[in-house]
Amino acid sequence: MKSPFRATLLLSASASALFGLGHVASAQTPPPGAEGTTTLPKIEVVKPRQTQAPRRTQKRVVTTRRAAPPPEAPPPTQAQVLTTTNEKFDTARQNIVAPVGANAHQVNHQAIEAMPQGADAPLDKVLLQFPGVTQDSAASGELHVRNEHANVAYRINGIMLPDGVGAFGQILDTGIVGSLALLTGALPAQYGFRTAGVLDIQTKTDAFDNTGKVSMYGGSHGTFTPSFEYGGTVGQTQYFVSGRYFQSSVGIENPTSSYNAIHDNTSQEKGFLYLSTVIDPTSRLTYIGGVSNSTFQIPNNPGQTPSNTAFGVSNFDSSLLNERQTEFNQFNVVAYQKSFEDIDMQVSYFNRYSQLHFYPDTIGDLVFNGVASDVYRQSVINGIQEDTAWRVGYAHTLRFGFSVSGERSLVNNISTVLPLADPTDPSAGTIDAPFSIFDSNAKTGWLIGTYLQDEWRINNQLTLNVGLRFDQMYQYVDANQLSPRFNMVWKPYDGTTFHAGYSRNFTPPEQVIAAPVNLALVQGTSQQPGTNVSSPVLPERSNVFDVGVDQKIHAIPGLEVGIDGYYKNARDLLDDGQFGAAYVLTGFNYERGENVGVELKAKYTNGNFQAYGNVAWAKQIATNVVSNQYLFDPDELAYIASHYIYTDHAQTWTASAGASYLWNGTRFSASMIYGSGLRSGFANTDHLPGYTQVNLGVSHDFNIVAPNKPTTVRFDVVNLFDSIYQIRDGSGIGVFAPQYGPRRGFYVGISQKL
């Protein structure tokens, strides 16, 4: 086969010969001797330029450039893993004691900080901003939930904190609160004994990043309160510790309307410790402990008229009285929590030691009251509590548990008294021959409770919670009760929640306020009662009905409103009061009682603006005193036996409101409380005038140390308009002395994040 190049060369030569194409050399003269010879012309063929074969149309290959993989996130630190694990345990704990169907009002730590005084406000002042909570004097328990006297339980991280003996020293500090919920209404079966309200405190869970805070706060009335807190993580353990010191020249409410009280200094120390160790991914161990130590001067009311002669003294200046009271409280909780498969459980041991000592002014108290009582109360409580939640499929969650607590209480009363001139006629006066009598009661009592309930999710909108509770008390009176509970939660639309419930409640009296007295010791003395009957204090048995609805107003984003109504009828309704100069409470029962009320609430949030408002109407009435009748004069006792009267802590109208706005790093806040007046007069047939108290606050964060360690400066005004009002006027059942609300005060604080 000829090559293409060679074939092309031959064809070119032939064509050149025939057509004279190509390059032809010029003719040369033939050399001599070459005649007759034909010479062909010399042909020089030039190699043609090689042409390239036509390019094939190539398909364009589109290649996708692979994006560079994102940089791998750094693995979580041990502290972050531990925080995530603890958050799961916290969620599981909430499931264990979920208050399905109860009426709940909740605020978090940020909302508390947005109020005037923030975390420097005492816990009871924060609670006054909740719906249905009424202000009262320290001697009468500081506050009332839904017109109930005491009967409020405190739970920390789902664990019951047992009753103490303190009259007005608060063991818990607001600074420890991560979230605060007040549960009222028809409570589910896991809530027993104290059922007017449950203060459910969740401690801070965002304070374990090795940071803390030191604060200084103070101002009017000699108020000075430094505090600190610090939290961190060490290995598998999280910890949080806080402490506060408080001093003021108005420790208890002033009995006069003057700006400065007489003999009313207080000093208080509080400490709190939280430890949590993750044992493995399914279990953890937690310790919670707190301590408070407080001393109080009892304020004086000048200008009182002496009524007796004692130790030769018949003229005594009441402004010079020197009564004092000390209180000490301590509690410890150790809780083991376990979660596996569909079961969450927690078992805890709790302990509380509580002590109160009232020191009289012996001469002064005898001159004015005819008795000087040195009162000592002590209580030691140890107990175990266990709670379990078992998710049985999608629709049912069974909850069951028990609590057992034993209390050893001691009540001593050393009274210095005067003999009566005529034992048959106390109006004849006394003889100046003081002598002492000693009355003591010690008791070991037990409280036992157990429950079983089923939370049934019928569908995504409707949940039923049905339970049964059994309670047994062995105290000065032995009694028990089987109590059914029923709750329903219905969410027919997005943002709408109905709740309704019924609960049968069993409420034992606090053991220290139910201690009996020996009336034989005081016969023929200035302490001889007009009614010589002392029946034992009984447990209260009641039926509570509650219904309400919460609604998000979609037309106004950020607005939520709610209404709740309740009715309670009780047998052996519990009450207590201060029936002498000593700031201690003594319990008694009404044979029957009724409590009814309606609460309205609203909350609005829009960006940096927050506002809330609450209004409550309530009425509590009772009849016929059936225990500790010696506390009442005969005519008052007879009137109550034939009439329904208002209880002393019943207030018809109660309201609170507040707002805060964050503007360019500065937060402005305001709060208000209103009360129509507590009861007063013979058999509580009258009531005090209404009052309004307005507070203001402003705070700002400065980046002085570091951007992530702000320095917060705040300024607060309590009782902006210096409204002068009485909480108590010294009359009414169980009210010994008048008490006024706080006068206007200015306070400044500075805190530094560490």
Side-chain angles (χ1 to χ4, degrees):
M1 182 174 178
K2 298 179 180 180
S3 68
F5 174 76
R6 187 177 180 185
T8 303
L9 183 61
L10 291 174
L11 288 174
S12 299
S14 301
S16 300
L18 293 174
F19 302 105
L21 301 174
H23 290 281
V24 180
S26 33
Q28 297 181 358
T29 302
E35 293 89 345
T37 303
T38 305
T39 302
L40 294 173
K42 186 177 180 179
I43 301 172
E44 185 177 349
V45 179
V46 179
K47 180 179 177 181
R49 180 181 295 176
Q50 185 174 356
T51 60
Q52 294 182 356
R55 293 183 178 180
R56 295 180 180 178
T57 303
Q58 297 182 355
K59 294 182 178 180
R60 186 176 181 182
V61 179
V62 180
T63 60
T64 302
R65 174 180 285 182
R66 293 183 179 178
E72 293 185 5
T77 64
Q78 184 179 4
Q80 291 172 330
V81 173
L82 185 61
T83 298
T84 301
T85 303
N86 276 288
E87 288 174 350
K88 293 179 180 178
F89 279 117
D90 292 338
T91 301
R93 185 176 60 205
Q94 287 294 326
N95 178 58
I96 294 173
V97 292
V100 180
N103 183 47
H105 186 80
Q106 182 170 337
V107 297
N108 57 23
H109 182 76
Q110 291 72 24
I112 293 174
E113 286 286 4
M115 297 179 183
Q117 297 191 282
D120 291 301
L123 191 59
D124 65 295
K125 304 305 180 186
V126 175
L127 293 175
L128 291 180
Q129 301 300 319
F130 284 40
V133 179
T134 304
Q135 179 181 216
D136 203 346
S137 64
S140 299
E142 297 174 315
L143 56 83
H144 305 288
V145 176
R146 291 190 165 184
N147 273 354
E148 298 279 3
H149 203 154
N151 197 19
V152 176
Y154 290 79
R155 288 199 174 202
I156 297 181
N157 293 345
I159 302 166
M160 179 178 62
L161 187 63
D163 297 324
V165 301
F168 34 74
Q170 297 186 51
I171 189 171
L172 299 175
D173 184 60
T174 308
I176 71 171
V177 174
S179 66
L180 180 65
L182 179 61
L183 310 178
T184 55
L187 299 179
Q190 69 262 38
Y191 298 96
F193 301 131
R194 305 287 171 251
T195 52
V198 176
L199 192 62
D200 189 11
I201 299 172
Q202 301 297 318
T203 55
K204 288 182 176 180
T205 58
D206 58 349
F208 308 115
D209 51 357
N210 298 313
T211 62
K213 182 175 70 172
V214 291
S215 302
M216 193 75 68
Y217 190 78
S220 299
H221 307 294
T223 302
F224 174 68
T225 173
S227 62
F228 77 93
E229 61 182 53
Y230 194 86
T233 302
V234 178
Q236 295 296 307
T237 300
Q238 292 180 331
Y239 66 91
F240 175 80
V241 60
S242 70
R244 178 181 294 274
Y245 172 77
F246 176 85
Q247 73 174 31
S248 173
S249 61
V250 182
I252 309 174
E253 290 85 4
N254 192 341
T256 74
S257 61
S258 62
Y259 186 82
N260 294 309
I262 302 172
H263 191 261
D264 198 11
N265 293 331
T266 182
S267 64
Q268 305 170 29
E269 302 93 30
K270 298 178 184 179
F272 179 81
L273 176 62
Y274 174 92
L275 293 171
S276 176
T277 297
V278 173
I279 301 174
D280 56 55
T282 65
S283 59
R284 73 171 172 180
L285 189 66
T286 301
Y287 168 80
I288 306 172
V291 61
S292 71
N293 184 40
S294 307
T295 61
F296 299 89
Q297 291 180 334
I298 306 304
N300 296 330
N301 191 359
Q304 302 302 299
T305 303
S307 56
N308 302 285
T309 299
F311 299 102
V313 178
S314 59
N315 188 15
F316 196 102
D317 185 353
S318 61
S319 66
L320 300 179
L321 285 169
N322 185 25
E323 299 170 333
R324 296 171 292 117
Q325 185 158 305
T326 62
E327 297 185 9
F328 179 82
N329 289 276
Q330 181 182 15
F331 72 91
N332 301 278
V333 174
V334 178
Y336 174 75
Q337 187 178 348
K338 181 76 173 180
S339 296
F340 54 95
E341 296 180 351
D342 295 323
I343 295 178
D344 299 315
M345 58 84 65
Q346 179 172 267
V347 59
S348 59
Y349 160 78
F350 56 85
N351 161 273
R352 177 165 180 167
Y353 174 80
S354 188
Q355 174 186 296
L356 176 151
H357 194 174
F358 176 84
Y359 300 86
D361 185 315
T362 303
I363 297 177
D365 284 356
L366 281 172
V367 169
F368 291 106
N369 306 315
V371 58
S373 298
D374 186 307
V375 180
Y376 178 83
R377 291 181 174 182
Q378 176 183 291
S379 170
V380 181
I381 302 176
N382 290 277
I384 297 175
Q385 177 183 329
E386 195 280 334
D387 299 279
T388 299
W390 177 23
R391 295 176 295 278
V392 185
Y394 170 79
H396 293 272
T397 298
L398 292 179
R399 293 186 176 90
F400 49 89
F402 69 90
S403 65
V404 178
S405 64
E407 177 180 9
R408 180 64 178 177
S409 63
L410 174 64
V411 178
N412 290 339
N413 192 338
I414 304 174
S415 296
T416 303
V417 297
L418 299 170
L420 293 176
D422 182 359
T424 63
D425 183 13
S427 63
T430 59
I431 301 173
D432 185 6
F435 66 98
S436 296
I437 57 177
F438 178 67
D439 191 1
S440 179
N441 275 283
K443 181 70 175 178
T444 299
W446 296 89
L447 291 177
I448 303 169
T450 184
Y451 68 92
L452 171 65
Q453 65 182 8
D454 177 24
E455 178 188 337
W456 177 22
R457 294 188 59 182
I458 298 176
N459 53 44
N460 290 334
Q461 290 76 38
L462 184 61
T463 300
L464 292 180
N465 195 37
V466 180
L468 195 63
R469 181 178 181 90
F470 177 77
D471 294 304
Q472 174 74 56
M473 63 174 283
Y474 298 102
Q475 293 183 341
Y476 291 106
V477 171
D478 297 343
N480 59 57
Q481 180 174 287
L482 187 65
S483 306
R485 308 282 179 90
F486 170 84
N487 298 92
M488 178 193 72
V489 178
W490 181 38
K491 300 180 179 180
Y493 313 106
D494 180 34
T496 302
T497 303
F498 288 94
H499 69 267
Y502 161 77
S503 65
R504 175 77 172 159
N505 295 332
F506 177 81
T507 306
E510 295 181 27
Q511 188 165 292
V512 290
I513 72 169
V517 297
N518 187 350
L519 295 180
L521 296 175
V522 296
Q523 297 303 311
T525 73
S526 52
Q527 203 178 8
Q528 176 179 307
T531 303
N532 197 28
V533 181
S534 179
S535 301
V537 181
L538 304 171
E540 177 186 302
R541 306 170 190 268
S542 63
N543 299 289
V544 176
F545 303 86
D546 185 275
V547 61
V549 60
D550 294 312
Q551 177 67 58
K552 294 182 179 179
I553 308 300
H554 297 293
I556 307 176
L559 177 61
E560 300 179 26
V561 298
I563 183 172
D564 194 89
Y566 59 91
Y567 172 75
K568 168 185 172 180
N569 62 65
R571 182 160 59 91
D572 300 324
L573 177 72
L574 275 170
D575 203 346
D576 50 46
Q578 180 191 357
F579 291 92
Y583 272 55
V584 295
L585 299 175
T586 303
F588 62 94
N589 298 96
Y590 292 101
E591 181 184 11
R592 293 183 301 278
E594 293 184 359
N595 193 22
V596 60
V598 178
E599 297 169 354
L600 301 172
K601 61 182 180 180
K603 180 175 64 175
Y604 177 68
T605 302
N606 184 1
N608 293 332
F609 178 74
Q610 301 176 11
Y612 62 89
N614 310 296
V615 178
W617 173 87
K619 178 182 179 182
Q620 186 180 70
I621 55 176
T623 185
N624 195 22
V625 177
V626 292
S627 64
N628 278 346
Q629 295 91 335
Y630 75 95
L631 298 170
F632 297 80
D633 291 332
D635 53 348
E636 194 171 46
L637 191 67
Y639 181 86
I640 298 172
S642 58
H643 295 79
Y644 269 93
I645 67 165
Y646 288 93
T647 56
D648 71 283
H649 44 273
Q651 180 167 266
T652 305
W653 291 98
T654 303
S656 61
S660 68
Y661 181 66
L662 183 63
W663 179 72
N664 288 340
T666 301
R667 182 176 296 280
F668 301 90
S669 61
S671 66
M672 179 274 292
I673 58 172
Y674 167 80
S676 61
L678 296 173
R679 307 307 300 186
S680 63
F682 172 82
N684 296 337
T685 52
D686 199 359
H687 71 86
L688 295 171
Y691 64 88
T692 302
Q693 178 183 316
V694 177
N695 306 324
L696 292 182
V698 59
S699 64
H700 185 86
D701 289 345
F702 296 93
N703 295 325
I704 298 175
V705 177
N708 62 336
K709 296 181 179 180
T711 303
T712 303
V713 177
R714 67 180 311 124
F715 174 71
D716 300 302
V717 183
V718 173
N719 196 355
L720 175 66
F721 302 108
D722 200 21
S723 174
I724 300 176
Y725 64 92
Q726 282 188 316
I727 301 174
R728 297 288 191 177
D729 69 352
S731 68
I733 297 173
V735 180
F736 182 79
Q739 289 103 15
Y740 282 78
R743 296 292 300 272
R744 179 167 52 208
F746 301 94
Y747 303 91
V748 177
I750 181 170
S751 64
Q752 175 62 58
K753 187 175 178 63
L754 302 177

